[in-house]
Amino acid sequence: MEQETLTIRPAELMDGDAVWAVLEPVIRGGETYTLPNDADRSDALAYWFDERHEVFVALVENEVVGTYYLKANQPGGGAHVANSGYVTAPWATGRGIAQSMFDHSLQRARQRGFRAMQFNFVISSNERAVKLWQRNGFEIVGTLPGAFLHPKLGYVEAYVMFRSL
């Protein structure tokens, strides 16, 4: 089997439909993001493409298979800590796309002068993400008991995860 070539580039306005195709099933599933699972395209894209977010898309053979944003976690005195959100298309999981987007985001965060990265609300039942972040040097620095209402599991913990750059 031929090795796939993954490309990551800044998102453009023309990527809106493709980004929505990646985001929609994750939002509708309601298991990993705090966005309302009935959010419409306009609201979801307004959140993802917020003016404070630098947005990227991951492509395999010109098909968007993932997207992430990078931003300062907080303004002012917290602006040296990055924050990111990542979504891999459900049809493309298990292919190293999340790892590639993560690697790209760390490189970009360093280029922008961030000194650390923090994830504010990692759903504990999202085991793939938790393991990926831990494998890449993140530590759980806080646990928020019952902070997320999972559609199948009920109230589950959310983690605050952190690593220096």
Side-chain angles (χ1 to χ4, degrees):
M1 184 164 139
E2 220 176 288
Q3 180 68 25
E4 296 178 323
T5 301
L6 181 75
T7 305
I8 298 174
R9 64 163 172 76
E12 301 170 358
L13 284 177
M14 68 179 192
D15 295 317
D17 287 340
V19 169
W20 173 238
V22 171
L23 293 177
E24 184 180 22
V26 173
I27 292 170
R28 298 285 178 256
E31 296 183 12
T32 58
Y33 271 86
T34 58
L35 295 170
N37 65 358
D38 63 350
D40 65 19
R41 178 187 186 278
S42 175
D43 289 342
L45 291 179
Y47 168 80
W48 203 257
F49 284 91
D50 181 283
E51 66 184 27
R52 295 167 291 186
H53 295 183
E54 183 178 18
V55 181
F56 294 87
V57 290
L59 303 103
V60 173
E61 296 181 13
N62 293 318
E63 177 187 18
V64 174
V65 294
T67 181
Y68 83 88
Y69 66 79
L70 178 68
K71 67 173 190 163
N73 191 49
Q74 300 292 330
H80 62 284
V81 178
N83 174 263
S84 285
Y86 309 82
V87 176
T88 300
W91 62 89
T93 59
R95 293 164 44 185
I97 294 163
Q99 179 69 57
S100 294
M101 289 191 297
F102 172 73
D103 292 343
H104 188 272
S105 71
L106 282 187
Q107 178 183 14
R108 183 66 187 132
R110 287 183 185 107
Q111 289 171 347
R112 288 183 53 185
F114 289 113
R115 298 175 48 111
M117 187 174 285
Q118 179 175 316
F119 301 140
N120 301 318
F121 208 85
V122 180
I123 311 307
S124 62
S125 58
N126 188 357
E127 294 177 4
R128 287 178 83 145
V130 173
K131 288 178 183 175
L132 175 63
W133 307 145
Q134 288 177 322
R135 195 170 52 244
N136 284 280
F138 279 81
E139 293 182 33
I140 296 172
V141 296
T143 300
L144 310 170
F148 183 74
L149 179 55
H150 189 282
K152 297 174 186 161
L153 304 174
Y155 292 99
V156 298
E157 297 176 333
Y159 300 135
V160 177
M161 300 184 77
F162 183 89
R163 75 162 272 187
S164 295
L165 299 179

